[in-house]
Amino acid sequence: MSKPFDYSKWDNIELSDDEDDVHPNIDKESWFRMKHRSRVEREDREEADKKKINDEMAKANLRIKEISKILSKASSTNNGDDDSDSDDDLEDIEGLQAELKALQSANDANQAKLDHYEKNKKWNVDNLCHVVEERTIVNKNVGESKFSETGFALPKEEETAAVAAAAVEDKKNVEASDEGGVPSKELSAATIVDVDNKTNTTTKSAPSTAVKESSSTTTTTKAITKTTPKLVQPQPTETVNSVAVSMMTYHDFTEKYADVVEEFMAIESLTKSKEFLLQKGDILLQENASSYLLLASLEDEMNGFHEKMKLVARQSQIVSNIAELAKSLQSHPGNVILPFFQRMEDKQLYAGFMEGVNQFIQRIEVRAVQKKAELEEERAREAREKGAEAEDAVDISEIPLEERLGPGGLDPLEVFESLPVSMQEAFESRQKEKLEEALRSM
């Protein structure tokens, strides 16, 4: 059985100098400083005493070696010639032996003092441990930001390059398929059925004299008919590439994923919102989705849908708060969906979140009023411009016939009324495009 570890050396630990054993009439700070100074002075005295003892022991050990060497030499000499010993030599040897014994006794006493110091040593924060190695490691990418100013994760350079390379490769494949006349892998079932029907029609309408040609066509038709069920099998659900989504423009994003954002906007339950984000987070946790939610809440408020605006504003704040939490944790927004909703289970945190939502709603309301005023001012300006143009216009029917007759005695009003309705509307609108369209339709 192995020997248990001895923990007795940790029995004399001084936790700190800030112990609350001070008299009420004594200032605490002064008491703490005095205790700290007393400890430091005691340790200095112990270190000085240990240094003095070690120096004495070093000198004694050096003297012991010298005496041992002399005694060994004298002993070998005495063994060679016993009659040559004199009384003086014997006295010297006895004196050296007595000195050697005294030095060894002094060393034993000094060693006992050192052992006593070590056994009763007071351990504190300054001497419990010491630094063996000290290094500073600097991250070379410390200055690079992985997130946008709004907190959404930015795609890495290698991911962006991979998406761009994949797009170029797809474009080349499509161009090669178009040039070679070979149908692509994404040929739909309706297209295949259409090709099958055309082949059958061609086979039925083929002349009877071309027997070989007809038979070969029939064989081709059967081959296509047999392979059709394999091509129309349901394909696996397309996975969304979050890097590709983050690189989209706002216009492209709204065209492709507006339905997904609209579905998220209509969710009232936080639990369903969490489940939807876990499924569609690669689409919704993007900057374009956040902008879409913001503009949708503003539009709803301007159109008078106040309750709908409040729900959209809450969903918008969910996305924004997840992005901010991800930025603070230096993680991808998709990794903090569950931690965010776990925080929402705390009533105090949920109350703070709803307070932020209400502040966001107030800002939307203020901005909606400002936006309405701006739109009304713009409409009024356009109306004034159109009114000025209308004032410059002259009703030709109010001009006397003699004054409005043109070269050759033609009446412009009569000529205008004889034109087709599309031409009249084009002239009245004063738009060149409508006039050209009316001419092409004639």
Side-chain angles (χ1 to χ4, degrees):
M1 183 175 178
S2 61
K3 185 178 179 180
F5 188 79
D6 184 13
Y7 292 95
S8 61
K9 68 178 296 184
W10 308 112
D11 291 342
N12 298 323
I13 296 180
E14 292 180 335
L15 297 179
S16 68
D17 300 318
D18 301 342
E19 298 174 359
D20 296 332
D21 56 350
V22 58
H23 192 275
N25 295 335
I26 301 176
D27 180 58
K28 283 187 177 182
E29 296 297 330
S30 301
W31 177 255
F32 296 155
R33 286 195 300 271
M34 186 189 69
K35 290 188 67 176
H36 178 74
R37 187 171 63 252
S38 299
R39 175 172 65 82
V40 172
E41 291 176 353
R42 184 192 71 230
E43 291 177 352
D44 291 342
R45 287 195 302 271
E46 290 179 357
E47 290 298 325
D49 194 12
K50 285 191 282 187
K51 183 179 180 181
K52 181 181 178 181
I53 291 174
N54 286 325
D55 293 340
E56 291 177 356
M57 290 180 66
K59 293 178 179 179
N61 289 330
L62 184 61
R63 180 58 181 165
I64 288 173
K65 288 181 181 180
E66 293 177 355
I67 295 175
S68 299
K69 186 176 180 180
I70 294 172
L71 290 176
S72 61
K73 185 177 180 181
S75 176
S76 60
T77 304
N78 292 335
N79 291 333
D81 187 6
D82 296 336
D83 297 335
S84 61
D85 291 341
S86 62
D87 295 338
D88 294 337
D89 294 336
L90 291 174
E91 290 177 0
D92 292 341
I93 292 173
E94 291 176 358
L96 291 173
Q97 290 176 347
E99 184 181 357
L100 178 62
K101 187 176 180 180
L103 290 173
Q104 290 175 345
S105 300
N107 275 356
D108 293 339
N110 288 332
Q111 187 62 44
K113 288 183 180 180
L114 292 177
D115 294 340
H116 176 76
Y117 278 135
E118 190 66 26
K119 183 178 179 179
N120 298 289
K121 182 178 181 179
K122 300 290 185 180
W123 296 96
N124 52 66
V125 67
D126 295 329
N127 57 16
L128 274 174
C129 57
H130 62 279
V131 178
V132 177
E133 182 182 4
E134 186 173 2
R135 291 187 299 170
T136 301
I137 301 175
V138 179
N139 184 5
K140 63 180 181 179
N141 299 324
V142 68
E144 298 180 3
S145 176
K146 299 179 181 179
F147 301 89
S148 64
E149 294 180 357
T150 52
F152 294 93
L154 296 174
K156 298 179 180 178
E157 292 183 1
E158 54 268 21
E159 292 176 343
T160 305
V163 171
V168 173
E169 187 68 22
D170 292 341
K171 185 177 180 181
K172 289 181 179 178
N173 292 337
V174 172
E175 291 176 353
S177 300
D178 293 342
E179 292 175 0
V182 180
S184 64
K185 294 181 180 179
E186 298 178 355
L187 192 62
S188 64
T191 307
I192 296 170
V193 173
D194 188 34
V195 172
D196 193 7
N197 293 336
K198 288 182 180 179
T199 310
N200 286 330
T201 305
T202 307
T203 306
K204 291 178 181 178
S205 61
S208 59
T209 55
V211 178
K212 293 183 179 180
E213 190 175 343
S214 176
S215 61
S216 63
T217 308
T218 305
T219 305
T220 305
T221 304
K222 290 181 179 178
I224 293 177
T225 305
K226 289 180 180 178
T227 57
T228 298
K230 294 183 180 180
L231 292 172
V232 297
Q233 287 179 354
Q235 300 295 324
T237 305
E238 181 186 1
T239 57
V240 179
N241 190 338
S242 60
V243 178
V245 175
S246 65
M247 294 171 61
M248 283 184 175
T249 62
Y250 181 77
H251 176 72
D252 294 338
F253 178 86
T254 53
E255 282 190 346
K256 191 170 184 179
Y257 298 116
D259 295 339
V260 177
V261 185
E262 290 285 345
E263 186 177 355
F264 177 70
M265 286 162 48
I267 300 176
E268 297 183 1
S269 170
L270 284 177
T271 304
K272 292 182 178 179
S273 298
K274 177 182 69 174
E275 295 174 355
F276 196 82
L277 281 171
L278 290 173
Q279 295 175 359
K280 304 291 184 180
D282 44 7
I283 297 173
L284 293 170
L285 298 177
Q286 302 290 344
E287 202 157 1
N288 288 330
S290 179
S291 301
Y292 188 97
L293 292 169
L294 175 62
L295 294 176
S297 58
L298 180 60
E299 184 178 355
D300 289 337
E301 178 64 19
M302 291 175 63
N303 293 332
F305 305 118
H306 185 69
E307 294 300 322
K308 182 181 178 182
M309 181 274 293
K310 291 169 67 175
L311 177 60
V312 176
R314 190 201 69 177
Q315 299 298 88
S316 175
Q317 287 300 290
I318 288 177
V319 173
S320 299
N321 278 264
I322 289 176
E324 292 175 1
L325 180 60
K327 186 176 181 180
S328 64
L329 298 177
Q330 291 293 311
S331 179
H332 191 277
N335 298 334
V336 298
I337 295 175
L338 291 177
F340 171 78
F341 283 98
Q342 287 174 356
R343 293 187 177 192
M344 291 299 99
E345 296 176 0
D346 188 336
K347 292 183 178 180
Q348 185 175 359
L349 295 177
Y350 179 74
F353 168 74
M354 291 307 300
E355 182 180 355
V357 171
N358 293 331
Q359 294 176 358
F360 179 72
I361 291 174
Q362 293 175 2
R363 293 197 297 269
I364 290 293
E365 292 172 347
V366 173
R367 179 55 186 159
V369 174
Q370 296 174 351
K371 190 69 176 177
K372 281 184 177 180
E374 292 174 1
L375 292 175
E376 290 176 359
E377 183 179 353
E378 186 177 354
R379 291 194 190 101
R381 180 175 56 79
E382 292 178 354
R384 287 194 299 270
E385 292 176 356
K386 290 182 179 179
E389 293 178 358
E391 289 177 0
D392 296 338
V394 179
D395 190 356
I396 194 172
S397 61
E398 297 178 356
I399 302 175
L401 179 60
E402 294 80 7
E403 295 181 6
R404 72 184 184 216
L405 290 177
L410 292 176
D411 185 2
L413 183 59
E414 183 180 354
V415 173
F416 180 79
E417 292 176 350
S418 65
L419 295 174
V421 178
S422 59
M423 292 285 287
Q424 294 182 19
E425 293 177 352
F427 277 114
E428 287 179 349
S429 65
R430 298 183 181 183
Q431 294 183 6
K432 182 180 178 181
E433 293 80 7
K434 289 188 176 181
L435 182 60
E436 292 175 350
E437 184 179 353
L439 291 172
R440 284 195 297 268
S441 64
M442 292 178 64

